[in-house]
Amino acid sequence: MLHWCVLFAAIVAEVSGTTLLALLRESHSLAGHGLMAAFVALSFYLLSVAMRRVPMGVAYAVWEGVGLLLLASLSALLLAEPIGAAKACGFVLILAGVWLLKGGHRVEPDPEPGAAG
């Protein structure tokens, strides 16, 4: 379960960094862009930690799919970007894909110490 929490933290870091990128698009703030880069770097690090237990395809699909949903929602709220019917259908398809990928993934328990394997 911890690896899924780390994956969620990676998603939050990626969404934070990308949101900062959008908010800073007309700014020349070195500190703001440095913070954005730090969030993106943290996101990739946390994604790599999550992939120690979550298969790469599943981890990346969840990271990207949930991140896209959150970013699109934030862009609608913060930047007044419209969400039309086609985007809404895309969201539903992304959620369905993430659900199917996660449902097809089963975590194997760690072998007990001293067990032959």
Side-chain angles (χ1 to χ4, degrees):
M1 184 57 144
L2 177 63
H3 51 281
W4 289 104
C5 293
V6 172
L7 182 58
F8 180 74
I11 293 166
V12 170
E14 190 264 337
V15 168
S16 299
T18 306
T19 301
L20 270 173
L21 179 64
L23 295 174
L24 293 169
R25 63 182 157 206
E26 295 182 22
S27 169
H28 299 288
S29 165
L30 187 57
H33 284 86
L35 183 60
M36 179 268 312
F39 274 122
V40 172
L42 176 63
S43 175
F44 276 98
Y45 170 74
L46 292 172
L47 179 61
S48 73
V49 171
M51 284 193 302
R52 292 177 186 163
R53 293 290 308 267
V54 180
M56 180 176 62
V58 174
Y60 188 78
V62 171
W63 179 76
E64 191 64 35
V66 174
L68 282 171
L69 292 172
L70 291 173
L71 282 170
S73 300
L74 284 173
S75 70
L77 293 172
L78 298 176
L79 305 172
E81 293 180 6
I83 297 178
K87 276 187 183 179
C89 288
F91 293 162
V92 170
L93 292 173
I94 288 171
L95 284 173
V98 168
W99 178 74
L100 287 170
L101 283 168
K102 178 156 180 344
H105 166 68
R106 298 288 181 250
V107 176
E108 296 296 324
D110 288 332
E112 293 188 28

